[in-house]
Amino acid sequence: MVPVSFLSRFSPIRAWRDLRLFLSHRQRHELVFLVLAIGVTGVVITGFYFDSKIERPYKRPEITYFESWPENRSDEAIKAQQVIDQAKKEARLAELERRQAERRAEFKRLNDKLERWGL
């Protein structure tokens, strides 16, 4: 806990007087550079503020549907469904592998170009 006597030393009026006293002892060019520094900093912060408001395009939510199975399914029905699901899974994995191979090829071409340039 901070003692009350410590906080009693802080006063906005004293701070304002101290700032005025400090600035009154500065030369003209120092004040000009102070204003310029505050202005440039303000412009940069304002630019970041306005640049941070990027609207994202709408993306439909991805919905995952689960199938409901009867409780009394036979083992043959389960195995038949697993065969069908495995074929779908392999097709998805093959498509994913194809896309990854294309992406790797793009990066390899880019890397080869950069190496030719000496980078």
Side-chain angles (χ1 to χ4, degrees):
M1 191 94 181
V2 178
V4 178
S5 63
F6 179 74
L7 293 176
S8 66
R9 295 181 190 174
F10 294 105
S11 167
I13 296 171
R14 284 185 188 168
W16 178 250
R17 286 183 196 154
D18 187 38
L19 179 64
R20 282 184 27 209
L21 179 66
F22 174 77
L23 293 178
S24 67
H25 293 295
R26 300 291 113 199
Q27 294 182 7
R28 184 174 180 88
H29 72 279
E30 291 176 322
L31 296 175
V32 170
F33 282 117
L34 173 69
V35 170
L36 286 175
I38 291 172
V40 169
T41 304
V43 167
V44 169
I45 290 174
T46 304
F48 277 117
Y49 174 76
F50 285 117
D51 191 43
S52 68
K53 295 184 179 182
I54 298 173
E55 292 186 25
R56 294 188 178 126
Y58 175 74
K59 180 182 174 188
R60 293 185 58 116
E62 294 180 15
I63 300 174
T64 304
Y65 295 98
F66 293 92
E67 296 183 27
S68 178
W69 300 101
E71 193 173 311
N72 57 357
R73 283 193 309 160
S74 66
D75 288 341
E76 291 79 25
I78 293 172
K79 290 178 183 176
Q81 186 62 42
Q82 286 176 345
V83 169
I84 294 169
D85 292 341
Q86 184 65 28
K88 290 179 183 177
K89 182 179 178 181
E90 288 173 358
R92 281 195 316 266
L93 289 176
E95 175 67 19
L96 177 64
E97 181 61 35
R98 183 188 63 78
R99 287 183 187 171
Q100 288 176 344
E102 287 178 2
R103 189 75 170 168
R104 281 192 300 269
E106 289 175 9
F107 280 120
K108 181 162 180 9
R109 284 193 299 270
L110 178 62
N111 188 37
D112 292 343
K113 286 180 184 178
L114 291 175
E115 284 181 0
R116 279 194 304 248
W117 291 347
L119 297 177

